[in-house]
Amino acid sequence: MSNTTFEQIGQVLREHQHFAILSHVRPDGDALGSQLALALSLEQLGKQVRVWNEDGMLEKYSFLPHADLLTKPPATAEDFDVAIALDTAIQNRLGTTVAAVRSAKIWINIDHHLSNPGYGDLVILDPSAPATGEIIFDLIKSQGLPLNHDIAENLYAAISTDTGSFQYPKTSGRTFEIAAELVRDGDLDVGKISQQLYENYPRRRLELLRELLRTMRFTAGDRVATFSLSLKTAAKLGVLPEDNEGLIDHLRAVRGVIVAVFFEELTEGKVRVSMRSKDEAVDVCAICQKFGGGGHSLAAGARIRGSLAEVEEKVLEEIREVVKRGP
Ligand code: AMP
Ligand code: MN
Ligand code: MN
């Protein structure tokens, strides 16, 4: 945990009026759920809050309570007392939301990414937390901030998604305690939330998986598994960027696979690389940092200039080096 205390953050939240709450591009459940939860709690305190993400609210998370609070940033910048970045490893992953904050007296950075350099005036970094939602829960509880059903549901969604439904290694006893408290005190319907999160995909997501599996490759003695998505295939299927979240888990789930990699061709002559590891000895955050990216030791990403084939070759070479040294 870094040096800013929850008390200092709590004081800043109580003493100011205008807040901007931001998160990373290509958001996930943790980013969006954490933003909405903190925003709703501040609104309960009578604060004025803007909740922005470069990509706006995703269709698949639009069931979250008060999802309509979260919008794309406006073209005209606004002035704030406090801007808060949530779940965002490096400032430039806030994307176009930063330009919509014309001024902010204080920048707060609350995150759980190992690679976060600690930008901002007040920083709460806890790489041991499995989700930013868990840190927001602790902030709310420790500072006696409002917590109601809608806030609880957003936090539960944040924690459920970032722990892979309470499966990933950072899931702790404390995570279950927090989830239990959210379910009990927020009177949450776990079955319904889980169905909305995990059993409500559009059919095209499965069609995308079928195409990805056609490109599946195993290398490094079958310890590294990859698949890729070209712009052409994405256009043919009419998929949205959000459709591929989680598909990489199919590669990681194979016995013997240590590293899973997903390569996605982007329009700007770049490739988005998504990486997962099943072994603490293979730190995919370190590998991604070599390419200007970051993340967590077992889940990381980067955006790399080049064609699909070029990036695949460069990245696989780097991974093979590390896996070779491994167990
Ligand atoms: P993803 O593979 O996109 O689900 O990302 C895995 C983890 O790495 C997430 O926690 C991301 O926030 C982080 N991450 C992904 N891409 C980048 C990047 N370009 N720079 C820093 N962190 C990233
Ligand atoms: Mn995230
Ligand atoms: Mn997160």
Side-chain angles (χ1 to χ4, degrees):
M1 190 71 92
S2 48
N3 29 29
T4 302
T5 61
F6 283 140
E7 286 66 34
Q8 286 171 287
I9 303 272
Q11 193 179 348
V12 167
L13 299 182
R14 284 187 290 270
E15 283 176 357
H16 294 85
Q17 193 55 33
H18 295 269
F19 295 86
I21 303 182
L22 319 173
S23 74
H24 61 82
V25 296
R26 295 288 289 262
D28 46 32
D30 188 28
L32 299 174
S34 296
Q35 276 183 284
L36 288 171
L38 184 57
L40 291 169
S41 190
L42 290 175
E43 280 196 345
Q44 290 276 308
L45 286 180
K47 310 295 181 183
Q48 210 180 326
V49 189
R50 295 267 191 266
V51 196
W52 292 333
N53 184 282
E54 172 172 318
D55 297 305
M57 180 45 70
L58 306 184
E59 181 193 307
K60 68 176 177 178
Y61 291 123
S62 57
F63 75 90
L64 290 171
H66 300 275
D68 53 339
L69 269 183
L70 192 144
T71 64
K72 290 184 179 174
T76 315
E78 296 179 23
D79 296 308
F80 294 94
D81 297 322
V82 184
I84 308 173
L86 297 182
D87 195 45
T88 304
I90 38 173
Q91 214 168 4
N92 81 8
R93 296 216 353 120
L94 292 170
T96 53
T97 63
V98 176
V101 178
R102 187 168 41 211
S103 70
K105 290 176 213 152
I106 303 172
W107 275 88
I108 296 178
N109 168 5
I110 301 177
D111 186 30
H112 67 131
H113 290 92
L114 186 69
S115 61
N116 192 311
Y119 60 89
D121 305 309
L122 298 175
V123 184
I124 301 259
L125 266 188
D126 183 2
S128 76
T132 296
E134 200 171 295
I135 308 175
I136 299 298
F137 174 87
D138 286 337
L139 173 66
I140 286 176
K141 286 305 258 192
S142 72
Q143 298 308 299
L145 302 175
L147 181 59
N148 57 24
H149 167 275
D150 292 349
I151 295 168
E153 185 158 325
N154 276 298
L155 288 178
Y156 184 89
I159 295 169
S160 175
T161 51
D162 244 29
T163 55
S165 307
F166 303 93
Q167 292 183 54
Y168 299 155
K170 282 183 195 166
T171 307
S172 66
R174 172 114 189 90
T175 312
F176 284 105
E177 279 160 12
I178 291 172
E181 204 168 323
L182 291 171
V183 170
R184 204 179 298 122
D185 297 353
D187 194 22
L188 302 185
D189 183 339
V190 172
K192 185 165 163 229
I193 300 171
S194 301
Q195 227 172 53
Q196 285 166 316
L197 283 173
Y198 307 116
E199 297 179 343
N200 195 32
Y201 295 120
R203 177 170 148 181
R204 61 173 190 268
R205 184 173 187 269
L206 219 54
E207 289 163 354
L208 169 61
L209 177 61
R210 179 168 55 193
E211 291 297 322
L212 292 179
L213 292 178
R214 285 191 219 282
T215 73
M216 178 171 67
R217 279 171 57 201
F218 290 85
T219 62
D222 290 351
R223 289 189 293 175
V224 179
T226 71
F227 54 38
S228 62
L229 176 62
S230 66
L231 281 170
K232 200 173 137 210
T233 302
K236 184 183 83 183
L237 296 173
V239 289
L240 300 179
E242 68 187 74
D243 291 331
N244 65 50
E245 190 188 347
L247 292 179
I248 191 172
D249 294 343
H250 289 280
L251 295 178
R252 172 168 50 184
V254 175
R255 188 188 326 131
V257 167
I258 295 172
V259 181
V261 199
F262 171 43
F263 298 96
E264 178 190 358
E265 191 181 11
L266 302 175
T267 43
E268 334 73 272
K270 285 188 176 182
V271 174
R272 169 178 170 261
V273 180
S274 199
M275 229 180 266
R276 302 290 183 267
S277 167
K278 247 158 65 182
D279 184 341
E280 288 290 351
V282 180
D283 177 353
V284 288
C285 181
I287 297 172
C288 287
Q289 279 181 308
K290 288 194 176 171
F291 295 100
H296 313 279
S297 55
L298 299 183
R303 287 174 183 228
I304 306 171
R305 190 159 291 288
S307 69
L308 258 185
E310 285 162 1
V311 172
E312 282 185 36
E313 195 185 306
K314 266 199 293 200
V315 169
L316 280 175
E317 200 173 314
E318 203 61 52
I319 294 172
R320 280 194 212 99
E321 275 302 307
V322 178
V323 170
K324 224 170 34 195
R325 278 188 258 126

